[in-house]
Amino acid sequence: MALKTFHGGVHPPEFKKLTETLIFEVMPAPQEIYIPLNQHLGKEAIASVKKGDSVSIGSILAEADGFISAPIHSPVCGTVTSISKQTTPTGFPQQTIVIKTNEQLENLFMSPLNPKTITPEEIIERVKNAGIVGQGGAAFPTYIKLTPPKDKQIEFVILNGCECEPYLTRDYRFMIERPEAVIEGLTLFLKAMGVVKGYIGIEDNKPEAIKIITRAAENENNIEVFSLKTKYPQGAEKMLVKAITGREVPPGKLPLEVGTVIQNIGTAVAVYDAVVKGEPAVTAALTVTGKGVKNPKNLLVPVGTPIKDVLDYCGGINGDAVKLIVGGPMMGVAQFDLMAPILKATSGILVLTREEVSRGEETACLKCGQCIDVCPLNLMPTKLVRYTQLGRFEDAGLFGITVCMECGTCAYTCPANIPLVQWLRLGKQRVKQIQRQQAGLQN
Amino acid sequence: MTVTITEAGNTNKLELTTSPHLHNQWTTKKVMWMVVAALAPSLLAAVLFFGIYQLLIITTAVVFAVGTEYAIQTVRKQKLSVVDGSAALTGLLLALTLPPNFSLSSTAIGSIVAIGLGKQIFGGLGYNIFNPALVGRAFLQAAFPVAITTWSTNKFAVDSVTSATPLAAFKFDRITAGLSEMFLGSTGGSLGETSALAILIGGIFLIAVGIVNWRIPFSMIIGMIVFGAIFNFIDPVKYPAPLFHLFAGGFLFAAFFMATDWVTSPVTNKGMWIFGFGISFVLIVIRLFGGLPEGVMYSILFMNAFVPIINRVTIPKIFGSVKGAAA
Ligand code: SF4
Ligand code: SF4
């Protein structure tokens, strides 16, 4: 049988060998941590502590503000030393709570709940209060995904175990080390949403994870594990839904449009811990890797730990490192300030050398069509970029530039080495701006 | 843009370019030189069948193509792109479409026209509409109609039948050459076009490394077999068998090396099918009803002109949308 997958995509080298066999290590809290008030998609949380307050692990630092927002808890014991603008890995400074840590390890976790007897309402409430956000990249508050609009019939919850970004092995380690938490987490999602069918999609370059997860799900009749073809971006939501259910999410829509909700492996584990241990989202699981870091590791780090401390913990960086990235190498963000903190949804820190990031000289577009062939969303990157360069934003919009998910597949492939994603991003911003203006005029 | 950081005693300059941070390591230059490499078997076949003099034709074509590009870019004060190999490739392609023992001065003119009129006038690599090598070749055909159809004898030709080009022999004398001679290349014809074997080695290599999109040669070949079979069925005496069409003239060479030129072929997969079938259709009309025995060059140039339209009508449907992109 042909393996389930989607059209297009590429096969970048995986580089997962660097860390895939390394067990998660718990990194001790650094002397100072930095907690930005906005670590999620949506509205910034409102600080509920002030300078001088002492806090324990699990104390509430900030409350959710409105519907799309998430509360933030303290990952350490210590004293709030300031609430001020600090750098973040997104590149934009944010209001940040700075805490000086002390040696104590007192925790104020919530009361544990029994996953067998818990009600759907209790699950949603717990996920909300624990401040859990999606671990797949966008950091969307998870409880919102558990409460879809009433008019949307949800048929499947899919756990995303693809981890299609090269280098990263965080989700892989979760599947290997905590298979029960993964399965229980998915069961909690299903229960919370009243959905019967749960799927787990794993790329076939992770046979060990497929084996272990399949075994863990053995007694769960409503959970099915899928081995998917290894191809970037198999883990993109639309591609995953397509591969497993055969359904196509329409442009500009979410998977719930086709009756599906996607959750990340890391999110399932976080939800499990929030329910069973009462632990709020205070720990980030991430892979620190790349040929530019001395000792690559899979780590459990207190949220808010500066990148610098994480790198020091991993033995520091090599002299030939030329790029520091938060996230994966295909979609992650290059960093310029080592004091930027780890966020709830940070999945990796990459320190890459020249050899790993080298790219050729840019030339004019050769009209080879390869960007079109590989674009998983069937866009025409060469055309969209041309329109953007010419300032023809209306045409760029017409040809679907706003649909682009910036996955980087096209730019990875382009033999002319054109920074396609950079242009696409610019074009998208302008087109959206223009669309907003037009919408404003019509009102 | 870079930023300097100091971390654990090391000072590193960090780059801040945007994602993706990985690339498949292909470059324009690498592509061009790979195509040149894929032409090596045809080049060898040319020397083997027609003699060492052919190397002079090839060298002349390449030198003048590169020289013309260099001269034009210097005069226009543009960035020199000679190292990208595209001009050398154009020269090589042109040379391989010329008849054996062709005059060197005419070869040089062909190269100058190919680069000057075929490429640089449009703004250089990536902006030309017509395949530059074919523009040069078409110019030579018009300027030196006799010389360019004067075929020297293939050293391995078994008789007079195979010393003329198979197409001309058929067109004017209704003689079909043996398929095995046409496959190996021991017939009359242009330098790089006679040996199907050499062409296939290079062509399959280019498909394997992902430079040539198989849809173009494949649709051309299928088109040729289908159209050829239809005519052959109508009148087997007047029209040759489909396989003859495949191995005759510059068809295979064009299918793998000319029609597949990235810049002048469609960018969509669907468009490539239309383009390939279109070339075969135009070609069969020229071969069977036109005044020329060979016409693959014109059929490609003809279809080159339609590429923008083909691209426009084959815009892929955006993932998940019901209608086309522009709807
Ligand atoms: S970045 Fe956008 S245009 Fe490029 S492949 Fe991904 S979705 Fe397609
Ligand atoms: S991959 Fe690059 S060179 Fe090829 S068509 Fe797309 S933008 Fe142009």
Side-chain angles (χ1 to χ4, degrees):
Chain A
M1 193 187 83
L3 273 168
K4 292 189 170 237
T5 189
F6 62 98
H7 169 82
V10 287
H11 301 274
E14 295 172 16
F15 298 111
K16 295 195 191 256
K17 293 264 175 299
L18 287 168
T19 51
E20 67 186 3
T21 56
L22 305 176
I23 296 172
F24 275 122
E25 259 175 63
V26 179
M27 180 183 158
Q31 290 186 342
E32 230 174 6
I33 64 160
Y34 297 79
I35 311 275
L37 289 174
N38 200 350
Q39 303 193 23
H40 46 261
L41 202 84
K43 242 174 140 187
E44 185 175 293
I46 303 167
S48 49
V49 289
K50 53 186 190 313
K51 193 174 162 182
D53 285 0
S54 14
V55 292
S56 300
I57 300 172
S59 310
I60 292 188
L61 298 179
E63 302 274 6
D65 180 18
F67 181 59
I68 304 185
S69 188
I72 297 170
H73 304 75
S74 177
V76 292
C77 293
T79 317
V80 176
T81 54
S82 84
I83 301 178
S84 50
K85 279 229 150 125
Q86 304 285 344
T87 72
T88 71
T90 56
F92 303 100
Q94 290 260 353
Q95 261 330 92
T96 299
I97 301 174
V98 185
I99 301 172
K100 181 147 186 42
T101 53
N102 60 33
E103 307 288 279
Q104 281 154 25
L105 285 172
E106 185 199 3
N107 83 51
L108 295 175
F109 285 0
M110 295 165 283
S111 57
L113 297 168
N114 183 343
K116 295 280 171 275
T117 55
I118 196 169
T119 66
E121 293 71 27
E122 284 173 324
I123 299 173
I124 293 166
E125 197 56 25
R126 174 53 59 93
V127 169
K128 187 174 174 180
N129 292 338
I132 294 171
V133 301
Q135 298 288 299
F140 197 69
T142 299
Y143 88 93
I144 299 174
K145 266 191 168 178
L146 296 180
T147 48
K150 286 280 164 287
D151 60 321
K152 299 278 187 281
Q153 184 71 36
I154 303 301
E155 296 165 67
F156 319 105
V157 174
I158 300 178
L159 269 199
N160 187 352
C162 293
E163 200 159 52
C164 61
E165 278 269 15
Y167 288 95
L168 302 185
T169 56
R170 176 191 70 159
D171 293 346
Y172 178 73
R173 289 313 305 175
F174 270 142
M175 292 190 279
I176 300 287
E177 292 178 38
R178 305 195 59 196
E180 300 78 25
V182 171
I183 301 293
E184 281 287 326
L186 175 55
T187 309
L188 287 167
F189 287 135
L190 295 174
K191 192 164 186 180
M193 304 186 72
V195 173
V196 178
K197 214 73 208 116
Y199 295 137
I200 305 177
I202 308 173
E203 283 188 344
D204 65 348
N205 62 347
K206 307 175 187 67
E208 196 59 25
I210 295 173
K211 204 169 83 197
I212 290 175
I213 290 292
T214 308
R215 201 183 307 137
E218 227 163 38
N219 298 323
E220 313 284 339
N221 296 326
N222 53 343
I223 294 179
E224 207 174 324
V225 180
F226 285 92
S227 163
L228 307 175
K229 192 166 162 189
T230 303
K231 187 162 74 164
Y232 182 85
Q234 183 63 73
E237 292 205 330
K238 290 182 176 185
M239 282 42 262
L240 187 60
V241 174
K242 168 79 180 175
I244 291 185
T245 69
R247 300 178 185 182
E248 294 195 359
V249 180
K253 298 280 194 244
L254 294 171
L256 45 95
E257 205 65 29
V258 295
T260 314
V261 164
I262 300 194
Q263 299 283 6
N264 185 269
I265 292 285
T267 318
V269 174
V271 167
Y272 174 83
D273 287 345
V275 168
V276 176
K277 300 184 191 162
E279 182 182 333
V282 292
T283 307
L286 58 138
T287 303
V288 186
T289 185
K291 292 184 182 151
V293 65
K294 292 241 163 64
N295 310 313
K297 286 180 196 297
N298 292 304
L299 284 182
L300 299 172
V301 195
V303 168
T305 304
I307 293 171
K308 182 177 177 20
D309 291 286
V310 177
L311 292 176
D312 285 346
Y313 185 74
C314 294
I317 66 180
N318 295 322
D320 56 353
V322 296
K323 214 166 194 184
L324 178 67
I325 297 158
V326 162
M330 296 299 282
M331 293 186 74
V333 183
Q335 302 294 312
F336 53 88
D337 189 340
L338 293 184
M339 289 316 287
I342 304 299
L343 305 181
K344 286 178 186 176
T346 303
S347 54
I349 299 179
L350 309 182
V351 190
L352 304 182
T353 56
R354 165 70 48 231
E355 164 205 350
E356 293 165 282
V357 296
S358 80
R359 57 189 306 145
E361 204 188 330
E362 181 181 346
T363 69
C365 168
L366 303 169
K367 315 267 160 61
C368 67
Q370 296 193 348
C371 52
I372 301 169
D373 200 20
V374 298
C375 174
L377 299 180
N378 294 339
L379 298 172
M380 301 181 84
T382 167
K383 227 184 168 78
L384 298 173
V385 166
R386 191 81 196 120
Y387 286 146
T388 301
Q389 291 169 337
L390 296 172
R392 288 169 60 182
F393 297 111
E394 196 169 323
D395 287 318
L398 229 49
F399 282 92
I401 197 167
T402 55
V403 178
C404 168
M405 55 185 176
E406 299 173 24
C407 65
T409 307
C410 52
Y412 172 82
T413 306
C414 176
N417 286 271
I418 301 168
L420 294 169
V421 173
Q422 202 173 318
W423 285 107
L424 288 165
R425 226 176 255 148
L426 184 83
K428 266 174 80 171
Q429 272 165 13
R430 289 287 291 130
V431 169
K432 283 190 175 162
Q433 215 172 37
I434 292 167
Q435 284 174 353
R436 266 198 303 273
Q437 277 165 8
Q438 283 169 351
L441 285 180
Q442 275 156 20
N443 287 340
Chain B
M1 199 164 73
T2 60
V3 49
T4 308
I5 56 147
T6 310
E7 151 68 19
N10 278 326
T11 302
N12 296 66
K13 271 200 185 344
L14 295 186
E15 292 170 9
L16 294 177
T17 44
T18 53
S19 64
H21 308 284
L22 301 182
H23 189 264
N24 69 1
Q25 302 295 314
W26 279 88
T27 58
T28 299
K29 191 165 141 188
K30 180 168 164 192
V31 168
M32 297 300 162
W33 292 112
M34 285 286 229
V35 180
V36 170
L39 286 167
S42 298
L43 195 150
L44 280 179
V47 174
L48 183 69
F49 292 138
F50 302 111
I52 199 80
Y53 173 83
Q54 315 318 321
L55 275 185
L56 279 180
I57 297 183
I58 292 164
T59 313
T60 307
V62 170
V63 166
F64 275 84
V66 172
T68 309
E69 178 140 310
Y70 185 84
I72 292 176
Q73 289 183 332
T74 309
V75 169
R76 287 182 161 182
K77 301 201 170 36
Q78 288 168 338
K79 202 174 129 216
L80 290 179
S81 63
V82 167
V83 282
D84 73 20
S86 64
L89 176 58
T90 299
L92 181 55
L93 284 169
L94 171 67
L96 291 173
T97 65
L98 297 175
N101 305 322
F102 193 64
S103 118
L104 296 185
S105 56
S106 305
T107 303
I109 293 172
S111 279
I112 294 168
V113 171
I115 296 294
L117 285 183
K119 183 174 169 190
Q120 289 300 337
I121 216 171
F122 292 97
L125 182 66
Y127 297 101
N128 49 303
I129 296 170
F130 298 103
N131 184 316
L134 290 181
V135 170
R137 167 71 215 236
F139 179 85
L140 293 177
Q141 177 94 41
F144 311 104
V146 178
I148 209 150
T149 47
T150 305
W151 312 99
S152 332
T153 311
N154 188 306
K155 289 186 175 165
F156 290 77
V158 279
D159 51 40
S160 60
V161 173
T162 44
S163 68
T165 80
L167 270 172
F170 182 83
K171 180 97 194 165
F172 303 120
D173 308 313
R174 294 271 171 270
I175 298 166
T176 37
L179 279 180
S180 69
E181 279 123 42
M182 289 165 75
F183 184 74
L184 291 174
S186 56
T187 63
S190 305
L191 293 188
E193 296 176 346
T194 57
S195 173
L197 181 64
I199 294 164
L200 285 174
I201 292 173
I204 289 167
F205 166 74
L206 288 183
I207 291 175
V209 297
I211 293 180
V212 161
N213 189 316
W214 59 271
R215 290 169 185 85
I216 292 177
F218 188 74
S219 58
M220 278 177 71
I221 290 168
I222 295 292
M224 215 52 196
I225 292 173
V226 171
F227 299 134
I230 293 172
F231 284 108
N232 187 241
F233 179 77
I234 296 171
D235 188 345
V237 181
K238 206 155 139 227
Y239 305 118
L243 276 186
F244 174 84
H245 279 296
L246 281 195
F247 294 120
F251 179 78
L252 273 187
F253 187 77
F256 285 99
F257 292 106
M258 291 293 192
T260 53
D261 170 42
W262 280 351
V263 177
T264 56
S265 62
V267 290
T268 61
N269 285 341
K270 218 193 277 172
M272 293 181 195
W273 287 103
I274 298 175
F275 183 69
F277 284 128
I279 292 171
S280 291
F281 185 74
V282 176
L283 175 56
I284 205 119
V285 170
I286 294 178
R287 275 191 183 174
L288 299 181
F289 306 104
L292 287 165
E294 177 60 307
V296 71
M297 152 181 94
Y298 293 112
S299 54
I300 291 177
L301 287 172
F302 184 81
M303 290 306 290
N304 281 162
F306 286 93
V307 165
I309 297 173
I310 295 176
N311 281 340
R312 219 166 304 144
V313 299
T314 56
I315 293 164
K317 184 178 80 68
I318 295 179
F319 182 90
S321 66
V322 213
K323 288 204 216 112

